[in-house]
Amino acid sequence: MLFSYISHLFCPKCKKEYTTKEKHQLCECGSPLLVAYDLDTLKANLTPEMIQSRKPSLWRYHELLPVEDSKNVVSLGEGMTPLLEMPKLGKDMDIQHLYMKDEGIIPTGSFKARGAAVGVSKAKELGVQQLAMPTNGNAGAAWALYSSRAEIKATVVMPKDAPTITRNECAVAGANLYLVDGLISDAGKFISEAIKDWGLYDASTLKEPYRIEGKKTMGLEIAEQFSWRLPDVILYPTGGGVGLIGIYKALNELKELGWIKGKLPRLVAVQAENCAPIVKAWNEKKQESEFWPDSTTIAFGINVPKAIGDFLVLEALYNTNGYAIAVEEKQIIEEQKKVALLEGTFICPEGAATFLAARRLREQGWIKEDETVVALNTGLGIKYPNTVDIEVPILNLSDSLYKNV
């Protein structure tokens, strides 16, 4: 039995195909490339029961991942994150069956570890020695750390306002780290120049085909954790949108394998009101988004003014009767506090945005009371220490604690 049933790469726009044995970036038409698998053959060789007996990491799905030789797997134990019931928060929102897929406990503290694990593993398999990427923080941290484990040199450029902890993660991993006084789009310009000048492997979002394969394991896990019965709605904080694209890809592959039945979940792209290019395009029924000028949001990970895979995000929304929603900037942190108060979990601002979106969509009636809803929390709240502003009383040595309780 093969370790991977990868077949080829293909362009979703012009349909040109590429081999998986060589390094590829974008299609010659400029579109991201996607990975195809021999699902007909795999269907005869793999069952859900075989998956369930394996170790609890994303590599339990290795037949549906692009690494062809197990010796090239670079892993920190990522995957199989909890799917938590959120009953008190659900009651507060009037959603009876509310769940959180919690990516905060994954290595490097964010869902970016999934894309890094698979992307770096395939880069190793292809003989990559140096890679480069722009980042809003967490992706750069994850790729730097996994690259270190794979003995690949990483060059990372991030906005100077990116979370400090992600900067530290890159530095301690030995990456060539640079800060730019601008947005991720500005960081991308520096990376493009470096790649052109030095021939580095471009690990930018969707400019290599394999990050998405790591991200799609969120969809595979959700399906398995629901015993191959799907929820009604999945909400995802959307910047570059790779996770949402990946979840949609995963569910379609599972459907083709015959492991899931019926309609796919309605997918929701969640953005912040000050950076909402996907929402604008969706409202206007367009196939691609426009660059969002002067973008800013406290949910820094989704501060992406223009996503190269925007047409794939919008396709996933249209094909699942989904939704794109921009939430109020001032309410994101309030929702973050409410999640911690009611459910005891300190989530990242991007995750809080998804719960805020669920609240708003329930108020609008788009989400029904009895529907099963999954919100993605994409990282640890403690990676954003400056988002919560608190005042704590200081005790004098002569004070009694009970007087202050």
Side-chain angles (χ1 to χ4, degrees):
M1 188 168 172
L2 299 173
F3 189 73
S4 171
Y5 281 73
I6 189 171
S7 172
H8 58 277
L9 304 176
F10 69 96
C11 175
K13 283 191 173 181
C14 74
K15 309 308 177 185
K16 182 177 174 63
E17 295 185 0
Y18 296 82
T19 177
T20 63
K21 305 297 184 183
E22 300 172 354
K23 301 172 192 173
H24 294 290
Q25 307 282 186
L26 298 176
C27 176
E28 60 185 25
C29 76
S31 169
L33 296 175
L34 299 177
V35 179
Y37 296 87
D38 183 0
L39 297 178
D40 288 336
T41 302
L42 181 56
K43 188 185 303 185
N45 289 284
L46 187 68
T47 66
E49 291 74 24
M50 293 167 66
I51 294 283
Q52 289 168 338
S53 64
R54 295 176 178 175
K55 292 181 180 179
S57 82
L58 64 80
W59 296 102
R60 69 200 278 114
Y61 310 112
H62 59 78
E63 290 91 347
L64 281 167
L65 295 174
V67 179
E68 299 177 61
D69 190 332
S70 61
K71 71 180 183 183
N72 294 315
V73 168
V74 181
S75 178
L76 293 170
E78 58 287 329
M80 285 311 292
T81 55
L83 182 70
L84 299 175
E85 292 186 66
M86 308 290 275
K88 289 185 284 185
L89 189 64
K91 183 177 180 181
D92 189 66
M93 293 184 186
D94 194 28
I95 299 175
Q96 292 183 11
H97 309 292
L98 179 65
Y99 293 80
M100 175 175 69
K101 180 66 169 166
D102 188 7
E103 295 292 289
I105 68 167
I106 206 166
T108 80
S110 87
F111 76 119
K112 302 290 187 177
R114 293 181 185 269
V118 176
V120 169
S121 295
K122 190 62 181 181
K124 177 184 176 183
E125 188 162 76
L126 292 169
V128 171
Q129 295 183 328
Q130 296 187 62
L131 59 80
M133 63 185 302
T135 179
N136 267 334
N138 278 317
W143 281 73
L145 288 160
Y146 277 85
S147 292
S148 176
R149 191 167 178 84
E151 298 183 329
I152 294 173
K153 191 65 179 179
T155 296
V156 177
V157 181
M158 66 174 68
K160 67 178 181 63
D161 294 330
T164 301
I165 185 62
T166 61
R167 182 191 311 178
N168 294 347
E169 287 174 294
C170 290
V172 298
N176 297 320
L177 174 64
Y178 302 91
L179 305 180
V180 61
D181 187 9
L183 303 174
I184 189 173
S185 52
D186 300 303
K189 295 173 185 176
F190 284 97
I191 289 294
S192 295
E193 291 176 3
I195 287 166
K196 182 179 178 181
D197 293 342
W198 300 101
L200 307 179
Y201 184 72
D202 192 347
S204 307
T205 302
L206 291 180
K207 290 188 178 180
E208 55 81 45
Y210 304 110
R211 178 192 301 209
I212 189 174
E213 296 303 298
K215 298 286 188 67
K216 84 177 181 186
T217 58
M218 290 184 288
L220 299 176
E221 288 179 18
I222 289 170
E224 182 179 355
Q225 288 170 319
F226 276 113
S227 300
W228 311 107
R229 298 173 183 173
L230 299 177
D232 298 292
V233 177
I234 299 176
L235 300 102
Y236 187 84
T238 305
V242 181
L244 190 146
I245 299 166
I247 290 170
Y248 178 63
K249 186 175 188 288
L251 297 179
N252 277 300
E253 289 172 353
L254 290 177
K255 194 163 189 177
E256 193 169 339
L257 286 172
W259 293 10
I260 57 175
K261 308 291 184 184
K263 294 189 300 183
L264 297 185
R266 307 196 309 277
L267 299 179
V268 179
V270 179
Q271 299 196 298
E273 61 184 356
N274 293 336
C275 183
I278 297 294
V279 176
K280 183 176 185 292
W282 182 80
N283 284 330
E284 297 172 352
K285 301 297 185 286
K286 292 182 177 179
Q287 302 304 311
E288 296 184 3
S289 67
E290 300 170 0
F291 185 89
W292 189 279
D294 303 318
S295 65
T296 179
T297 171
I298 196 165
F300 199 77
I302 55 176
N303 190 24
V304 179
K306 169 69 174 175
I308 190 173
D310 53 4
F311 69 101
L312 295 170
V313 174
L314 290 161
E315 176 186 308
L317 300 184
Y318 294 141
N319 289 349
T320 62
N321 295 313
Y323 204 99
I325 181 171
V327 295
E328 315 95 296
E329 189 73 28
K330 293 181 179 180
Q331 294 303 312
I332 292 174
I333 298 304
E334 292 306 310
E335 193 69 34
Q336 183 188 39
K337 292 177 181 177
K338 183 165 287 189
V339 174
L341 180 65
L342 294 179
E343 298 290 0
T345 179
F346 184 25
I347 64 176
C348 65
E350 296 83 2
T354 65
F355 282 109
L356 181 57
R359 185 180 298 278
R360 295 293 177 255
L361 291 176
R362 176 68 189 107
E363 290 169 353
Q364 297 173 22
W366 189 84
I367 290 176
K368 309 304 180 190
E369 178 185 3
D370 61 347
E371 288 189 307
T372 299
V373 177
V374 176
L376 267 293
N377 172 48
T378 50
L380 285 170
I382 59 175
K383 298 200 79 173
Y384 300 79
N386 298 324
T387 58
V388 179
D389 186 20
I390 61 171
E391 292 186 11
V392 181
I394 299 175
L395 296 171
N396 294 316
L397 294 180
S398 60
D399 285 346
S400 169
L401 178 62
Y402 296 105
K403 293 179 180 179
N404 293 276
V405 173

